[in-house]
Amino acid sequence: MNEQLNDAIIDETNCISDRKSHHPDKTKHNLTARLNRIEGQVRGIKNLIEKDAYCDDVLNQISAIQSALNSVGRLLLEAHMKSCVVERLQEGDTEVIDEMMNTFKKLMK
């Protein structure tokens, strides 16, 4: 089951989708590198809190992480639109438009 979770996408209802992305290695590497940096930043915030760092310093780091996550989201969204969405539309699957509208709503919160 753990492998299935690693290979699947969980949507807003926590249902597991077995659809896969097919991004170029360069895109995957870029996204992974950014996420690794974000992971390090999150650990840094944890350390700041454990060391009773000044709240404003912690909040500034949280803001930086949110910005970095938004950047990853924009990159992934662009890649998704140019590959997965175009491919599904070419196959006649217009349900992808509703899916994208729901995704946009989540990203714009």
Side-chain angles (χ1 to χ4, degrees):
M1 177 69 173
N2 204 11
E3 274 182 39
Q4 183 181 13
L5 287 175
N6 288 336
D7 293 340
I9 300 168
I10 301 176
D11 67 18
E12 75 271 7
T13 59
N14 291 325
C15 295
I16 297 173
S17 169
D18 55 0
R19 289 185 295 203
K20 303 256 184 181
S21 294
H22 39 271
H23 301 292
D25 287 340
K26 183 178 179 181
T27 301
K28 282 192 232 183
H29 178 74
N30 185 0
L31 292 171
T32 301
R34 287 169 181 260
L35 289 169
N36 286 338
R37 281 192 299 275
I38 292 167
E39 184 178 25
Q41 287 176 296
V42 170
R43 282 193 305 273
I45 287 176
K46 182 180 174 193
N47 289 333
L48 288 174
I49 290 172
E50 288 171 351
K51 294 177 181 177
D52 295 321
Y54 187 59
C55 296
D56 193 54
D57 295 337
V58 176
L59 291 168
N60 284 325
Q61 289 302 309
I62 290 171
S63 177
I65 290 171
Q66 288 171 329
S67 178
L69 278 172
N70 286 338
S71 179
V72 169
R74 282 190 301 273
L75 288 172
L76 188 56
L77 178 62
E78 180 180 351
H80 181 57
M81 296 283 294
K82 289 180 176 180
S83 61
C84 304
V85 173
V86 168
E87 188 175 291
R88 287 179 62 190
L89 285 171
Q90 289 172 340
E91 293 170 355
D93 182 0
T94 57
E95 189 175 299
V96 71
I97 295 171
D98 292 332
E99 180 183 281
M100 286 308 307
M101 292 307 299
N102 287 328
T103 298
F104 285 136
K105 287 176 191 174
K106 291 175 194 173
L107 289 173
M108 296 174 120
K109 281 186 180 179

PDB file of all heavy atoms in Angstrom, residues 4-5 18 24-25 38-39 41 51 54-55 59 63 69-70 74 77 82 85 96 98 101 103 106:
ATOM      1  N   GLN A   4       1.910   2.194  -3.353  1.00  0.00           N
ATOM      2  CA  GLN A   4       0.785   2.754  -4.096  1.00  0.00           C
ATOM      3  C   GLN A   4       0.628   4.228  -3.761  1.00  0.00           C
ATOM      4  O   GLN A   4       0.389   5.037  -4.648  1.00  0.00           O
ATOM      5  CB  GLN A   4      -0.492   1.992  -3.748  1.00  0.00           C
ATOM      6  CG  GLN A   4      -1.705   2.456  -4.540  1.00  0.00           C
ATOM      7  CD  GLN A   4      -2.962   1.702  -4.147  1.00  0.00           C
ATOM      8  OE1 GLN A   4      -3.004   1.016  -3.137  1.00  0.00           O
ATOM      9  NE2 GLN A   4      -3.995   1.851  -4.944  1.00  0.00           N
ATOM     10  N   LEU A   5       0.780   4.591  -2.495  1.00  0.00           N
ATOM     11  CA  LEU A   5       0.676   5.989  -2.107  1.00  0.00           C
ATOM     12  C   LEU A   5       1.788   6.817  -2.712  1.00  0.00           C
ATOM     13  O   LEU A   5       1.577   7.952  -3.118  1.00  0.00           O
ATOM     14  CB  LEU A   5       0.694   6.134  -0.586  1.00  0.00           C
ATOM     15  CG  LEU A   5      -0.566   5.684   0.132  1.00  0.00           C
ATOM     16  CD1 LEU A   5      -0.369   5.758   1.639  1.00  0.00           C
ATOM     17  CD2 LEU A   5      -1.761   6.505  -0.284  1.00  0.00           C
ATOM     18  N   ASP A  18      -4.751   6.813 -10.079  1.00  0.00           N
ATOM     19  CA  ASP A  18      -3.592   6.100 -10.610  1.00  0.00           C
ATOM     20  C   ASP A  18      -3.062   6.741 -11.886  1.00  0.00           C
ATOM     21  O   ASP A  18      -2.225   6.174 -12.563  1.00  0.00           O
ATOM     22  CB  ASP A  18      -3.897   4.616 -10.815  1.00  0.00           C
ATOM     23  CG  ASP A  18      -5.117   4.371 -11.689  1.00  0.00           C
ATOM     24  OD1 ASP A  18      -5.745   5.343 -12.140  1.00  0.00           O
ATOM     25  OD2 ASP A  18      -5.445   3.192 -11.902  1.00  0.00           O
ATOM     26  N   PRO A  24       9.597  15.798 -18.263  1.00  0.00           N
ATOM     27  CA  PRO A  24      11.008  15.552 -18.618  1.00  0.00           C
ATOM     28  C   PRO A  24      11.869  15.502 -17.356  1.00  0.00           C
ATOM     29  O   PRO A  24      11.541  16.113 -16.338  1.00  0.00           O
ATOM     30  CB  PRO A  24      11.385  16.765 -19.476  1.00  0.00           C
ATOM     31  CG  PRO A  24      10.099  17.390 -19.890  1.00  0.00           C
ATOM     32  CD  PRO A  24       9.074  17.019 -18.860  1.00  0.00           C
ATOM     33  N   ASP A  25      12.967  14.782 -17.437  1.00  0.00           N
ATOM     34  CA  ASP A  25      13.866  14.647 -16.291  1.00  0.00           C
ATOM     35  C   ASP A  25      14.330  15.999 -15.763  1.00  0.00           C
ATOM     36  O   ASP A  25      14.474  16.185 -14.554  1.00  0.00           O
ATOM     37  CB  ASP A  25      15.073  13.782 -16.658  1.00  0.00           C
ATOM     38  CG  ASP A  25      14.706  12.312 -16.783  1.00  0.00           C
ATOM     39  OD1 ASP A  25      13.656  11.903 -16.230  1.00  0.00           O
ATOM     40  OD2 ASP A  25      15.459  11.566 -17.432  1.00  0.00           O
ATOM     41  N   ILE A  38      13.103  23.625   0.187  1.00  0.00           N
ATOM     42  CA  ILE A  38      11.964  23.972   1.047  1.00  0.00           C
ATOM     43  C   ILE A  38      11.947  23.080   2.284  1.00  0.00           C
ATOM     44  O   ILE A  38      11.711  23.553   3.406  1.00  0.00           O
ATOM     45  CB  ILE A  38      10.639  23.870   0.263  1.00  0.00           C
ATOM     46  CG1 ILE A  38      10.583  24.964  -0.806  1.00  0.00           C
ATOM     47  CG2 ILE A  38       9.439  23.934   1.193  1.00  0.00           C
ATOM     48  CD1 ILE A  38       9.491  24.777  -1.841  1.00  0.00           C
ATOM     49  N   GLU A  39      12.216  21.808   2.082  1.00  0.00           N
ATOM     50  CA  GLU A  39      12.262  20.876   3.206  1.00  0.00           C
ATOM     51  C   GLU A  39      13.314  21.327   4.226  1.00  0.00           C
ATOM     52  O   GLU A  39      13.075  21.305   5.443  1.00  0.00           O
ATOM     53  CB  GLU A  39      12.579  19.472   2.692  1.00  0.00           C
ATOM     54  CG  GLU A  39      12.558  18.388   3.739  1.00  0.00           C
ATOM     55  CD  GLU A  39      12.834  17.022   3.150  1.00  0.00           C
ATOM     56  OE1 GLU A  39      13.481  16.917   2.086  1.00  0.00           O
ATOM     57  OE2 GLU A  39      12.399  16.038   3.776  1.00  0.00           O
ATOM     58  N   GLN A  41      14.317  24.406   4.646  1.00  0.00           N
ATOM     59  CA  GLN A  41      13.813  25.631   5.278  1.00  0.00           C
ATOM     60  C   GLN A  41      12.824  25.295   6.399  1.00  0.00           C
ATOM     61  O   GLN A  41      12.828  25.929   7.450  1.00  0.00           O
ATOM     62  CB  GLN A  41      13.133  26.529   4.251  1.00  0.00           C
ATOM     63  CG  GLN A  41      14.091  27.218   3.304  1.00  0.00           C
ATOM     64  CD  GLN A  41      13.324  28.021   2.261  1.00  0.00           C
ATOM     65  OE1 GLN A  41      12.595  27.458   1.452  1.00  0.00           O
ATOM     66  NE2 GLN A  41      13.493  29.328   2.304  1.00  0.00           N
ATOM     67  N   LYS A  51      14.653  26.895  19.512  1.00  0.00           N
ATOM     68  CA  LYS A  51      15.635  27.788  20.145  1.00  0.00           C
ATOM     69  C   LYS A  51      15.019  29.108  20.588  1.00  0.00           C
ATOM     70  O   LYS A  51      15.730  30.065  20.905  1.00  0.00           O
ATOM     71  CB  LYS A  51      16.790  28.048  19.178  1.00  0.00           C
ATOM     72  CG  LYS A  51      17.607  26.802  18.888  1.00  0.00           C
ATOM     73  CD  LYS A  51      18.681  27.070  17.872  1.00  0.00           C
ATOM     74  CE  LYS A  51      19.455  25.790  17.596  1.00  0.00           C
ATOM     75  NZ  LYS A  51      20.477  25.980  16.558  1.00  0.00           N
ATOM     76  N   TYR A  54      13.149  34.861  17.791  1.00  0.00           N
ATOM     77  CA  TYR A  54      12.207  35.979  17.739  1.00  0.00           C
ATOM     78  C   TYR A  54      11.110  35.663  16.726  1.00  0.00           C
ATOM     79  O   TYR A  54      11.375  35.226  15.603  1.00  0.00           O
ATOM     80  CB  TYR A  54      12.970  37.249  17.361  1.00  0.00           C
ATOM     81  CG  TYR A  54      12.167  38.511  17.425  1.00  0.00           C
ATOM     82  CD1 TYR A  54      11.571  38.921  18.619  1.00  0.00           C
ATOM     83  CD2 TYR A  54      12.018  39.312  16.302  1.00  0.00           C
ATOM     84  CE1 TYR A  54      10.853  40.091  18.687  1.00  0.00           C
ATOM     85  CE2 TYR A  54      11.288  40.493  16.354  1.00  0.00           C
ATOM     86  CZ  TYR A  54      10.703  40.877  17.552  1.00  0.00           C
ATOM     87  OH  TYR A  54       9.992  42.046  17.611  1.00  0.00           O
ATOM     88  N   CYS A  55       9.862  35.867  17.140  1.00  0.00           N
ATOM     89  CA  CYS A  55       8.699  35.492  16.323  1.00  0.00           C
ATOM     90  C   CYS A  55       8.744  36.083  14.915  1.00  0.00           C
ATOM     91  O   CYS A  55       8.413  35.415  13.943  1.00  0.00           O
ATOM     92  CB  CYS A  55       7.402  35.905  17.012  1.00  0.00           C
ATOM     93  SG  CYS A  55       7.119  35.068  18.571  1.00  0.00           S
ATOM     94  N   LEU A  59       8.366  34.170  11.387  1.00  0.00           N
ATOM     95  CA  LEU A  59       7.312  34.525  10.431  1.00  0.00           C
ATOM     96  C   LEU A  59       7.894  34.884   9.061  1.00  0.00           C
ATOM     97  O   LEU A  59       7.316  34.537   8.024  1.00  0.00           O
ATOM     98  CB  LEU A  59       6.466  35.676  10.978  1.00  0.00           C
ATOM     99  CG  LEU A  59       5.590  35.300  12.174  1.00  0.00           C
ATOM    100  CD1 LEU A  59       5.027  36.551  12.837  1.00  0.00           C
ATOM    101  CD2 LEU A  59       4.479  34.353  11.758  1.00  0.00           C
ATOM    102  N   SER A  63       7.065  32.999   5.529  1.00  0.00           N
ATOM    103  CA  SER A  63       6.700  33.715   4.310  1.00  0.00           C
ATOM    104  C   SER A  63       7.572  33.284   3.133  1.00  0.00           C
ATOM    105  O   SER A  63       7.081  33.098   2.012  1.00  0.00           O
ATOM    106  CB  SER A  63       6.820  35.219   4.539  1.00  0.00           C
ATOM    107  OG  SER A  63       6.539  35.926   3.361  1.00  0.00           O
ATOM    108  N   LEU A  69       6.983  27.596  -2.165  1.00  0.00           N
ATOM    109  CA  LEU A  69       5.970  26.598  -2.535  1.00  0.00           C
ATOM    110  C   LEU A  69       5.088  27.101  -3.676  1.00  0.00           C
ATOM    111  O   LEU A  69       4.743  26.347  -4.582  1.00  0.00           O
ATOM    112  CB  LEU A  69       5.103  26.236  -1.327  1.00  0.00           C
ATOM    113  CG  LEU A  69       5.678  25.211  -0.370  1.00  0.00           C
ATOM    114  CD1 LEU A  69       4.806  25.098   0.877  1.00  0.00           C
ATOM    115  CD2 LEU A  69       5.830  23.863  -1.041  1.00  0.00           C
ATOM    116  N   ASN A  70       4.735  28.380  -3.625  1.00  0.00           N
ATOM    117  CA  ASN A  70       3.950  28.958  -4.719  1.00  0.00           C
ATOM    118  C   ASN A  70       4.715  28.877  -6.035  1.00  0.00           C
ATOM    119  O   ASN A  70       4.134  28.606  -7.092  1.00  0.00           O
ATOM    120  CB  ASN A  70       3.571  30.407  -4.412  1.00  0.00           C
ATOM    121  CG  ASN A  70       2.484  30.506  -3.379  1.00  0.00           C
ATOM    122  OD1 ASN A  70       1.722  29.569  -3.164  1.00  0.00           O
ATOM    123  ND2 ASN A  70       2.411  31.640  -2.709  1.00  0.00           N
ATOM    124  N   ARG A  74       3.512  26.997  -9.387  1.00  0.00           N
ATOM    125  CA  ARG A  74       3.402  27.630 -10.717  1.00  0.00           C
ATOM    126  C   ARG A  74       4.151  26.836 -11.778  1.00  0.00           C
ATOM    127  O   ARG A  74       3.649  26.649 -12.885  1.00  0.00           O
ATOM    128  CB  ARG A  74       3.908  29.069 -10.658  1.00  0.00           C
ATOM    129  CG  ARG A  74       2.916  30.042 -10.049  1.00  0.00           C
ATOM    130  CD  ARG A  74       3.359  31.492 -10.221  1.00  0.00           C
ATOM    131  NE  ARG A  74       4.650  31.778  -9.617  1.00  0.00           N
ATOM    132  CZ  ARG A  74       4.815  32.142  -8.346  1.00  0.00           C
ATOM    133  NH1 ARG A  74       3.777  32.260  -7.546  1.00  0.00           N
ATOM    134  NH2 ARG A  74       6.022  32.394  -7.877  1.00  0.00           N
ATOM    135  N   LEU A  77       2.169  23.688 -12.434  1.00  0.00           N
ATOM    136  CA  LEU A  77       0.948  24.032 -13.156  1.00  0.00           C
ATOM    137  C   LEU A  77       1.245  24.266 -14.633  1.00  0.00           C
ATOM    138  O   LEU A  77       0.536  23.773 -15.514  1.00  0.00           O
ATOM    139  CB  LEU A  77       0.294  25.270 -12.544  1.00  0.00           C
ATOM    140  CG  LEU A  77      -0.966  25.778 -13.232  1.00  0.00           C
ATOM    141  CD1 LEU A  77      -2.074  24.734 -13.182  1.00  0.00           C
ATOM    142  CD2 LEU A  77      -1.409  27.076 -12.577  1.00  0.00           C
ATOM    143  N   LYS A  82       0.815  22.303 -20.183  1.00  0.00           N
ATOM    144  CA  LYS A  82       1.455  22.084 -21.480  1.00  0.00           C
ATOM    145  C   LYS A  82       1.534  20.614 -21.873  1.00  0.00           C
ATOM    146  O   LYS A  82       1.740  20.311 -23.045  1.00  0.00           O
ATOM    147  CB  LYS A  82       2.862  22.684 -21.479  1.00  0.00           C
ATOM    148  CG  LYS A  82       2.858  24.189 -21.474  1.00  0.00           C
ATOM    149  CD  LYS A  82       4.263  24.736 -21.482  1.00  0.00           C
ATOM    150  CE  LYS A  82       4.270  26.256 -21.588  1.00  0.00           C
ATOM    151  NZ  LYS A  82       5.627  26.798 -21.593  1.00  0.00           N
ATOM    152  N   VAL A  85      -2.790  18.329 -19.620  1.00  0.00           N
ATOM    153  CA  VAL A  85      -4.071  18.924 -20.003  1.00  0.00           C
ATOM    154  C   VAL A  85      -4.232  18.924 -21.521  1.00  0.00           C
ATOM    155  O   VAL A  85      -5.281  18.528 -22.048  1.00  0.00           O
ATOM    156  CB  VAL A  85      -4.213  20.348 -19.421  1.00  0.00           C
ATOM    157  CG1 VAL A  85      -5.459  21.042 -19.962  1.00  0.00           C
ATOM    158  CG2 VAL A  85      -4.240  20.293 -17.892  1.00  0.00           C
ATOM    159  N   VAL A  96     -11.208  17.478 -18.034  1.00  0.00           N
ATOM    160  CA  VAL A  96      -9.974  18.077 -17.531  1.00  0.00           C
ATOM    161  C   VAL A  96     -10.158  19.579 -17.274  1.00  0.00           C
ATOM    162  O   VAL A  96      -9.491  20.142 -16.411  1.00  0.00           O
ATOM    163  CB  VAL A  96      -8.792  17.802 -18.488  1.00  0.00           C
ATOM    164  CG1 VAL A  96      -8.926  18.587 -19.783  1.00  0.00           C
ATOM    165  CG2 VAL A  96      -7.474  18.116 -17.814  1.00  0.00           C
ATOM    166  N   ASP A  98     -12.908  21.053 -15.975  1.00  0.00           N
ATOM    167  CA  ASP A  98     -13.466  21.162 -14.622  1.00  0.00           C
ATOM    168  C   ASP A  98     -12.402  20.871 -13.572  1.00  0.00           C
ATOM    169  O   ASP A  98     -12.323  21.539 -12.539  1.00  0.00           O
ATOM    170  CB  ASP A  98     -14.640  20.198 -14.440  1.00  0.00           C
ATOM    171  CG  ASP A  98     -15.844  20.589 -15.266  1.00  0.00           C
ATOM    172  OD1 ASP A  98     -16.008  21.796 -15.547  1.00  0.00           O
ATOM    173  OD2 ASP A  98     -16.622  19.689 -15.635  1.00  0.00           O
ATOM    174  N   MET A 101     -10.272  23.917 -13.259  1.00  0.00           N
ATOM    175  CA  MET A 101     -10.972  25.002 -12.556  1.00  0.00           C
ATOM    176  C   MET A 101     -10.917  24.770 -11.046  1.00  0.00           C
ATOM    177  O   MET A 101     -10.688  25.705 -10.279  1.00  0.00           O
ATOM    178  CB  MET A 101     -12.428  25.119 -13.039  1.00  0.00           C
ATOM    179  CG  MET A 101     -12.548  25.607 -14.473  1.00  0.00           C
ATOM    180  SD  MET A 101     -11.645  27.146 -14.808  1.00  0.00           S
ATOM    181  CE  MET A 101     -12.447  28.277 -13.692  1.00  0.00           C
ATOM    182  N   THR A 103      -8.605  23.099  -9.480  1.00  0.00           N
ATOM    183  CA  THR A 103      -7.205  23.315  -9.101  1.00  0.00           C
ATOM    184  C   THR A 103      -6.919  24.801  -8.981  1.00  0.00           C
ATOM    185  O   THR A 103      -6.265  25.243  -8.029  1.00  0.00           O
ATOM    186  CB  THR A 103      -6.272  22.660 -10.126  1.00  0.00           C
ATOM    187  OG1 THR A 103      -6.524  21.244 -10.130  1.00  0.00           O
ATOM    188  CG2 THR A 103      -4.816  22.904  -9.783  1.00  0.00           C
ATOM    189  N   LYS A 106      -8.216  26.193  -5.742  1.00  0.00           N
ATOM    190  CA  LYS A 106      -7.356  25.838  -4.604  1.00  0.00           C
ATOM    191  C   LYS A 106      -6.099  26.687  -4.574  1.00  0.00           C
ATOM    192  O   LYS A 106      -5.658  27.134  -3.504  1.00  0.00           O
ATOM    193  CB  LYS A 106      -6.975  24.362  -4.666  1.00  0.00           C
ATOM    194  CG  LYS A 106      -8.120  23.434  -4.410  1.00  0.00           C
ATOM    195  CD  LYS A 106      -7.662  22.003  -4.612  1.00  0.00           C
ATOM    196  CE  LYS A 106      -8.830  21.082  -4.709  1.00  0.00           C
ATOM    197  NZ  LYS A 106      -8.424  19.719  -5.058  1.00  0.00           N
TER     198      LYS A 106
END
